[in-house]
Amino acid sequence: MNLFPSVRIASRSCWFLHGVSASISGVRLPRLSIHSSTSAPAPMTETQRSCKYTTDDDGSTHLTWTKDPSNILVIKKINALEVRKPFKQLVLYLCRYKERELSVTIESHAFEELKTDVEFSQVAPKLKKWSSDEGKDPFLALSDIDLVVCMGGDGTLLYLSSLFQEHVPPVLPVHIGSLGFLMTQAFADFKKALDRTLTVQADSVPLSVTTRARLDCELQLCSPKHGSVTQEEVNRKVSPSGYTVIGPRTRVSRMAALNEVVIDRGASPYLTGLELVCNGQFVADVQGDGVIIATPTGSTAYAAAAGGPMVEPSVPGIIVAPICPHSLSFRPIVVGLKRKLEVRVPMDSRVSAWVSCDGRNRQQVHPGDSVLITSHRWPMTCINNKATMPDWFTSLGECLQWNVRVKQKPFDYPSSP
């Protein structure tokens, strides 16, 4: 199944309201990004159309550039000294690229880390700096990005996904991190990978990419505990806290998730009581620690730890995995990618619940609130080292030690018939 329409893809257009930046365990948490469900994307301009995607009969997806990818964003893992030198080498290579001049953007904190480096200072004037804390709408500065080079581990890729709540440019994942299950390019081969990625010729081979579905998580806050919606909020269609107001009782926020949406009991010592609904039909009561709604990409993360299946990224499905259910028969399931899931906190629930997307933007949901989860319009495309299937099985074996066992020795003599 092709997750992309057979059209050329434009850079994202979106609207944001901003909350407060935070950091947990050294992982960057971007400002809370909430976009209106009533706004329409801006029309695509010719200069923004930089690539197109095609899908073969075997389900593999390929990327072809329709114009030179010249605007490059480089994201790196933070709080890791071992990444600083490789990051400098990659940025220097892009700034001195022989084939053509590139516009390279890096985050402000990365620039500050290297500004005293003599070699880096030679290319510093050519670089563009970006920060989520700058400007009225800093994310609009990323709208012209053609390619993102992501240096780090899986957490860095999740952070990158959170920056692009709508369209995500093609991503070249370079592994310099801890696990690196999703990072298919080794840093030792970064020059070869960049040359292959940036080549735009009529006879060039299309790039093999992995289409990673994302989830669109919509929080509908209807509980009286959130306070009544004022008429001014209804008129302005936005609350002081940044939520979109869609009615006299309901505030809404939306977030994108690459791995999973988790609804759990938080710090409460009691079972959480949740209702699972699929396409408007009640499916099950969730009594336990919570439930994980995961993409195939997230099936090897938290969902795998909860006993869910490991699903190849190109499979069009959504994993529903309960967390420590108080039932011996509540097993994880996989539903179609186009299903519309809803997790409700019923009014008779003893406690509230907490919801998070990829471990970020954790928010409390009270009895009466609900979480709507659907397939996101814009998936993430990651450029492969080889192809989707070989890269995935390689990661299963090397990162998760899947099916690692000493091979059984043969008999020393022929077995009897």
Side-chain angles (χ1 to χ4, degrees):
M1 178 180 178
N2 184 13
L3 297 179
F4 288 103
S6 298
V7 296
R8 296 178 180 179
I9 305 299
S11 295
R12 69 188 189 98
S13 299
C14 50
W15 295 258
F16 292 92
L17 295 170
H18 310 299
V20 180
S21 298
S23 176
I24 298 178
S25 300
V27 178
R28 289 167 296 187
L29 302 184
R31 292 180 171 188
L32 177 62
S33 303
I34 304 168
H35 60 277
S36 170
S37 59
T38 59
S39 300
M44 295 184 287
T45 64
E46 190 64 33
T47 57
Q48 289 177 318
R49 297 186 176 121
S50 59
C51 60
K52 64 179 181 180
Y53 298 92
T54 56
T55 302
D56 296 339
D57 293 337
D58 62 357
S60 58
T61 305
H62 294 85
L63 177 152
T64 303
W65 296 111
T66 57
K67 73 177 186 69
D68 291 346
S70 300
N71 299 313
I72 316 298
L73 172 65
V74 184
I75 298 291
K76 82 172 188 71
K77 179 181 180 180
I78 66 166
N79 298 333
L81 294 176
E82 72 273 14
V83 181
R84 191 172 298 181
K85 183 177 179 180
F87 173 75
K88 184 186 77 170
Q89 293 175 343
L90 189 143
V91 170
L92 290 175
Y93 185 76
L94 289 174
C95 290
R96 297 168 178 171
Y97 194 59
K98 296 180 180 180
E99 298 298 325
R100 62 182 181 276
E101 185 175 354
L102 301 175
S103 174
V104 181
T105 302
I106 65 175
E107 292 184 282
S108 297
H109 73 85
F111 185 92
E112 294 299 317
E113 289 178 2
L114 291 170
K115 67 179 182 180
T116 58
D117 184 274
V118 176
E119 192 174 12
F120 181 81
S121 62
Q122 297 174 2
V123 300
K126 298 181 180 180
L127 295 171
K128 294 181 180 179
K129 294 184 292 183
W130 178 86
S131 172
S132 60
D133 297 322
E134 296 176 359
K136 184 178 180 180
D137 192 350
F139 297 94
L140 288 179
L142 302 179
S143 60
D144 293 328
I145 296 298
D146 299 319
L147 173 71
V148 182
V149 181
C150 185
M151 300 182 66
D154 295 350
T156 312
L157 195 67
L158 296 178
Y159 165 71
L160 170 62
S161 173
S162 69
L163 295 181
F164 293 89
Q165 292 289 306
E166 294 292 332
H167 168 62
V168 188
V171 178
L172 179 65
V174 180
H175 179 216
I176 307 180
S178 301
L179 187 62
F181 188 92
L182 307 177
M183 314 299 281
T184 56
Q185 308 286 343
F187 174 73
D189 301 323
F190 83 89
K191 293 182 180 180
K192 180 180 178 181
L194 282 173
D195 291 342
R196 176 171 55 90
T197 302
L198 295 173
T199 298
V200 182
Q201 296 177 358
D203 57 347
S204 61
V205 179
L207 296 169
S208 172
V209 297
T210 294
T211 301
R212 300 192 179 278
R214 298 196 297 168
L215 298 175
D216 189 351
C217 173
E218 179 179 298
L219 273 64
Q220 293 197 353
L221 308 180
C222 309
S223 170
K225 290 188 177 182
H226 297 290
S228 59
V229 179
T230 65
Q231 187 60 44
E232 183 183 358
E233 290 178 276
V234 174
N235 295 338
R236 294 178 61 241
K237 296 184 178 181
V238 64
S239 69
S241 56
Y243 292 98
T244 301
V245 176
I246 64 172
R249 292 183 58 250
T250 306
R251 301 180 180 93
V252 169
S253 72
R254 298 178 66 186
M255 297 168 285
L258 177 62
N259 262 1
E260 72 276 301
V261 177
V262 177
I263 302 97
D264 60 63
R265 63 186 177 92
S268 171
Y270 304 105
L271 289 175
T272 182
L274 303 171
E275 295 177 347
L276 178 63
V277 177
C278 182
N279 280 13
Q281 178 180 344
F282 174 79
V283 174
D285 284 313
V286 180
Q287 298 181 86
D289 283 356
V291 64
I292 302 167
I293 313 295
T295 64
T297 294
S299 69
T300 51
Y302 193 3
M310 292 189 292
V311 182
E312 198 259 327
S314 64
V315 175
I318 299 175
I319 297 93
V320 180
I323 307 171
C324 298
H326 200 246
S327 168
L328 297 178
S329 59
F330 194 173
R331 307 305 303 160
I333 60 173
V334 180
V335 300
L337 186 63
K338 298 302 181 182
R339 300 301 184 193
K340 297 179 180 180
L341 299 174
E342 181 179 1
V343 179
R344 301 170 180 165
V345 184
M347 292 301 297
D348 60 355
S349 177
R350 290 186 176 185
V351 294
S352 299
W354 291 81
V355 60
S356 61
C357 295
D358 291 339
R360 293 176 167 84
N361 294 338
R362 189 166 170 84
Q363 300 180 57
Q364 190 171 19
V365 284
H366 298 286
D369 294 338
S370 60
V371 183
L372 277 61
I373 303 164
T374 57
S375 173
H376 201 285
R377 178 188 178 192
W378 297 110
M380 174 185 283
T381 53
C382 295
I383 298 171
N384 296 323
N385 182 27
K386 295 178 181 178
T388 298
M389 285 291 288
D391 286 353
W392 190 67
F393 279 111
T394 298
S395 294
L396 279 181
E398 293 182 354
C399 299
L400 298 184
Q401 302 294 298
W402 178 69
N403 196 32
V404 173
R405 181 191 184 276
V406 176
K407 189 174 182 180
Q408 188 178 43
K409 295 181 180 180
F411 289 120
D412 293 331
Y413 50 88
S415 59
S416 58

